[in-house]
Amino acid sequence: MRPTLLDPLFAPITALKGIGPKLERPFARLLNRDAPRVLDLLFHMPSSFVDRRARPTIADAIPETDVTLKVTVEAHYPPAPGRRAPHRTLVADQTGDLTVVHFNVEAGRIERLLPLGATRWLCGRISLFDGMRQMAHPDRILDEAGFAKLPAIEPVYPLVEGLAGGYVRRALDGALARIPALPELLPAALVAAQGWPDFATALARLHHPKNPIDALPSGAPWRRLAFQELLAHQITLALVRSRQSRAGGRSSVGDGRLTRQILAALPFALTEAQGQALAQIRADIRSDKAMLRLLQGDVGSGKTVVGLLAAAEVAEAGRQTALMAPTEILARQHYETIAPIAAAAGLATAVLTGREKGRAREVILKDLAEGRTHLVVGTHALIQPDVVFADLALAIVDEQHRFGVEQRLSLARKGPATDMLLMTATPIPRTLVLTLFGDMDHSELRQKPPGRQPVDTRAVSLDRLDEVVHGLGRALRAGAQVYWICPLVEESDVSDLAAASERAETLRQVFGDTVGLVHGRMSGAEKDKVMARFQSGELRVLVATTVVEVGVNVPSATLMVIEHAERFGLAQLHQLRGRVGRGSKASTCLLLYRGPLSETAKARLAILRESEDGFAIAEEDLRLRGEGDVLGTRQSGFPGFGIARLEMHADLVATARAVAHETVQADPELESPASMPMRLLLHLHDSNATMRLLSAG
């Protein structure tokens, strides 16, 4: 149960003055939560700040900067009736004049804000238009009394449509007033040594900075809050590891019979990296300690085969394995890869997703419960209450970052002392492995199986789209199959991004019924049907959103076109590129971009052209964009941090891990009065799965 002390912070955001149902919706979009709470708003971090301490004259104001100017209103020039022109107001000081521009604002309202002859303070961005200074829609228009109340340093927050900065600032004032008096959540000696303010003061200084440093990630308020978030994460990892250690494991030792048959059935020899990873996993499975290992593999490095061989070891000991994937496409792809090889070795397999219903599902569940199925591949369907195993010994979670801690543990609880292997095809920068996974054992697959061709990667402007389509025709006549990736499903009024459905229709007009479309809004059955037609060669062009990012294997596909590549993260572009180059033929990846490119976007595309090393690309992605984009849902699906910025706060991770280890070692259930601050910390940073883990005992 959450302590009642925290209730004011967990109240709905509508408890704040001025936020009714109408504003709740944009706040929900802003805070990325269906029912936003006061706490979510307090943890909404500024993206920048405006320093109003420097107040230049009009002549000294630098164009394209935010300025605060003291001016006198000299004249109004409203548009002629019926004309779609802006209302212009001429203002001046002793050094020059400036035009204030308002579009679609009633003239009377502007004249009330800026009365002729009055002195006003304007806050906004100054620009040049036809060589003349102007300010369009000032952020603030204030008289002397209003200016006296204006903060000298004002945070600027990310916003969404329908929510102006003033609403966020006023709501934050109400939220800050609701912070209860909490005990110090962190070790007092650490707080003193770091010079950090307490929790309430940190939030107050962050949202009402007295100095610019207070609003920056490098400042003491932000660093304190970042450490709290990192510590909550490390405590979660330490508790899971502690539980697992105390629960112990089971030794599963096979005789090698199935393993030898699978190796003989493979059309290739294992790489050295696969052999090393398999040896580490086998050693874990055979020990009497519970395995918790992360297997990182670059695109096309052969993680699925390693997982199958681990399952064979378990089956030789008379036990079962479950492999859980985040999507139906990926689960069925794994099953289609595994099933024929497993069958050649006499390893009984099954697939279980939301599509298996009625009698078919009953048969699968019966075979699992009675031990006839050695390896089941599936989605979240595997953790349903009616899925029972005869003796589950190994749980493999693929693309594990797409599952919550609780979902992973739910699968492991289907068997006694189940070994757990977490797999990811998204290489994680070394900087982040310990942050995300603590001291978890991990293996890496950096080699690709022999015969894989390098992918020729090129960046092409969208201005040359017609040339690309002509080139696509030549590739199709030469027998190629093609992926065409778009960021959106349907055209949007507020976005210039290509829409998958519209692009598919355009390409069908050129190439006919050989063009298929697959996206995340389709049902599993619909997606599978289209993918099967593409895999069989009936469809030659597959227009898709990023549902094909991970795991989809069509060796005959040799051309990948990624539209608006500048909008994707490096790690995601690398994953998408990995869908080609999987056969023996030379493959090409075209990165279509809309110019002009930012320096970061240029660097991103250049790195992708120069390297196919996913681990090096991941490190560069972290450097260019920060962990939120490398690991966050914004790009590649990892649960990033809301407050901590690892490119700025990585130095805090080791301390957070040490404090977490010491805390859990001293009090494994966080039961003592001394551990109460840590329980409060876990609640504040949404470690709900951790709290349920503790309460479940």
Side-chain angles (χ1 to χ4, degrees):
M1 291 288 290
R2 185 177 65 236
T4 56
L5 178 65
L6 298 179
D7 286 352
L9 298 177
F10 284 83
I13 200 165
T14 49
L16 298 175
K17 185 179 178 182
I19 301 181
K22 187 176 178 182
L23 278 177
E24 185 182 17
R25 285 191 292 275
F27 269 109
R29 292 199 306 275
L30 178 72
L31 302 174
N32 198 27
R33 184 180 281 272
D34 291 338
R37 308 156 307 180
V38 171
L39 184 65
D40 301 319
L41 181 62
L42 287 169
F43 286 162
H44 184 57
M45 310 304 276
S47 55
S48 61
F49 63 88
V50 177
D51 189 345
R52 303 197 193 282
R53 293 174 302 177
R55 294 158 190 167
T57 61
I58 290 176
D60 291 337
I62 299 171
E64 303 309 324
T65 62
D66 289 300
V67 296
T68 301
L69 303 173
K70 186 177 185 180
V71 300
T72 301
V73 181
E74 297 204 333
H76 285 285
Y77 301 101
R83 286 199 60 200
R84 294 176 59 83
H87 184 293
R88 301 181 185 277
T89 306
L90 184 68
V91 299
D93 67 7
Q94 67 276 18
T95 68
D97 56 34
L98 168 81
T99 302
V100 180
V101 179
H102 284 94
F103 289 88
N104 301 319
V105 181
E106 192 259 322
R109 182 169 175 236
I110 297 171
E111 289 167 11
R112 287 192 296 275
L113 285 169
L114 293 163
L116 278 176
T119 298
R120 289 291 182 264
W121 288 90
L122 303 180
C123 304
R125 177 154 289 231
I126 206 165
S127 60
L128 292 178
F129 182 74
D130 284 346
M132 305 293 289
R133 289 183 178 84
Q134 73 171 27
M135 182 183 289
H137 290 270
D139 298 330
R140 304 286 181 85
I141 299 174
L142 302 167
D143 58 16
E144 289 291 352
F147 182 71
K149 299 175 185 175
L150 186 71
I153 298 159
E154 187 169 64
V156 176
Y157 298 93
L159 300 172
V160 295
E161 187 180 0
L163 201 60
Y167 288 124
V168 174
R169 287 189 290 269
R170 285 191 292 274
L172 271 165
D173 287 343
L176 288 167
R178 292 180 68 95
I179 300 174
L182 298 177
E184 177 53 67
L185 304 172
L186 303 178
L190 175 66
V191 172
Q194 295 284 346
W196 288 338
D198 62 51
F199 175 67
T201 305
L203 285 168
R205 281 174 52 186
L206 183 78
H207 295 302
H208 289 297
K210 301 297 182 195
N211 298 293
I213 190 68
D214 285 345
L216 293 173
S218 54
W222 198 319
R223 280 179 65 82
R224 186 234 153 81
L225 297 170
F227 182 82
Q228 284 188 193
E229 186 178 35
L230 293 168
L231 179 57
H233 180 73
Q234 291 296 325
I235 288 174
T236 299
L237 295 176
L239 285 167
V240 171
R241 180 63 104 176
S242 172
R243 282 290 177 89
Q244 188 187 41
S245 176
R246 281 180 287 141
R250 291 190 298 163
S251 174
S252 296
V253 180
D255 56 16
R257 151 182 67 83
L258 292 173
T259 301
R260 286 191 295 273
Q261 289 174 282
I262 288 172
L263 289 170
L266 289 175
F268 51 79
L270 296 185
T271 64
E272 183 182 348
Q274 284 174 310
Q276 288 175 350
L278 185 59
Q280 292 167 338
I281 292 164
R282 274 193 189 135
D284 288 348
I285 290 171
R286 292 173 180 178
S287 79
D288 58 3
K289 294 178 180 175
M291 174 174 73
L292 182 60
R293 181 173 288 274
L294 172 70
L295 176 62
Q296 287 192 84
D298 202 350
V299 173
S301 59
K303 293 181 311 306
T304 307
V305 168
V306 173
L308 174 60
L309 288 163
E313 176 85 16
V314 169
E316 288 165 4
R319 293 170 180 159
Q320 295 167 296
T321 297
L323 193 165
M324 185 166 69
T327 66
E328 195 162 337
I329 282 184
L330 189 49
R332 292 191 179 278
Q333 179 76 62
H334 279 316
Y335 181 70
E336 287 161 15
T337 302
I338 284 170
I341 302 168
L347 193 70
T349 59
V351 62
L352 182 63
T353 70
R355 270 181 56 196
E356 280 66 46
K357 300 191 186 317
R359 177 66 183 151
R361 190 171 190 275
E362 288 174 14
V363 171
I364 293 168
L365 295 185
K366 193 166 190 284
D367 287 345
L368 281 174
E370 295 177 3
R372 285 188 290 276
T373 299
H374 303 118
L375 168 61
V376 62
V377 180
T379 57
H380 300 77
L382 292 174
I383 59 177
Q384 296 301 311
D386 61 346
V387 179
V388 177
F389 292 82
D391 190 1
L392 180 66
L394 175 61
I396 303 175
V397 182
D398 192 33
E399 294 308 309
Q400 58 77 37
H401 50 274
R402 300 195 183 189
F403 296 98
V405 172
E406 206 166 9
Q407 290 171 317
R408 300 198 298 256
L409 292 174
S410 293
L411 182 61
R413 283 195 288 264
K414 295 282 185 181
T418 306
D419 286 320
M420 183 164 281
L421 178 65
L422 309 178
M423 303 200 304
T424 177
T426 305
I428 306 167
R430 289 184 183 278
T431 320
L432 303 184
V433 170
L434 285 175
T435 307
L436 290 169
F437 302 107
D439 58 352
M440 184 188 296
D441 299 316
H442 67 279
S443 306
E444 291 180 357
L445 300 179
R446 287 176 174 256
Q447 294 172 292
K448 293 184 181 179
R452 284 288 174 92
Q453 298 284 332
V455 179
D456 180 13
T457 304
R458 306 175 190 179
V460 180
S461 169
L462 270 165
D463 295 337
R464 297 171 58 194
L465 184 62
D466 288 345
E467 292 177 47
V468 172
V469 174
H470 285 305
L472 185 64
R474 290 193 299 273
L476 292 174
R477 287 191 291 275
Q481 278 186 282
V482 181
Y483 289 105
W484 190 299
I485 306 299
C486 298
L488 293 181
V489 177
E490 296 167 353
E491 194 62 72
S492 165
D493 292 336
V494 295
S495 173
D496 62 348
L497 294 181
S501 54
E502 185 171 300
R503 179 60 64 215
E505 186 55 39
T506 303
L507 293 175
R508 280 193 192 107
Q509 291 171 12
V510 182
F511 304 114
D513 292 338
T514 62
V515 178
L517 171 66
V518 63
H519 55 74
R521 293 186 195 169
M522 296 164 65
S523 70
E526 289 172 324
K527 284 186 281 194
D528 287 348
K529 187 177 179 181
V530 176
M531 288 305 304
R533 292 178 65 202
F534 187 59
Q535 286 172 311
S536 70
E538 181 186 347
L539 293 177
R540 306 292 301 286
V541 180
L542 183 67
V543 179
T545 54
T546 54
V547 293
V548 302
E549 178 186 336
V550 173
V552 178
N553 185 34
V554 183
S556 54
T558 55
L559 177 59
M560 167 67 71
V561 181
I562 304 174
E563 197 163 349
H564 282 290
E566 77 278 7
R567 307 292 181 101
F568 292 93
L570 254 179
Q572 194 172 35
L573 288 170
H574 178 62
Q575 288 293 329
L576 290 166
R577 177 174 62 178
R579 299 310 100 211
V580 297
R582 304 176 79 84
S584 56
K585 293 182 180 178
S587 294
T588 302
C589 177
L590 299 182
L591 306 173
L592 303 188
Y593 65 87
R594 172 78 67 207
L597 292 176
S598 67
E599 291 305 312
T600 298
K602 285 179 187 173
R604 193 181 302 154
L605 298 186
I607 293 154
L608 210 69
R609 290 200 307 272
E610 294 162 8
S611 176
E612 286 194 67
D613 181 342
F615 289 88
I617 286 170
E619 292 286 355
E620 192 62 21
D621 211 11
L622 175 66
R623 187 186 71 78
L624 285 174
R625 299 188 299 142
E627 65 81 26
D629 280 316
V630 174
L631 302 178
T633 54
R634 292 192 291 275
Q635 293 291 356
S636 52
F638 279 88
F641 295 102
I643 300 171
R645 306 284 185 265
L646 290 185
E647 67 276 22
M648 302 286 292
H649 302 132
D651 61 308
L652 299 175
V653 173
T655 307
R657 187 180 304 115
V659 172
H661 179 74
E662 185 180 326
T663 300
V664 173
Q665 197 170 41
D667 185 3
E669 300 297 324
L670 303 186
E671 291 174 318
S672 71
S675 295
M676 181 50 66
M678 290 303 173
R679 281 183 168 258
L680 291 173
L681 185 79
L682 290 170
H683 281 297
L684 285 172
H685 292 280
D686 262 351
S687 298
N688 296 328
T690 312
M691 300 313 298
R692 282 193 285 273
L693 185 73
L694 285 169
S695 61

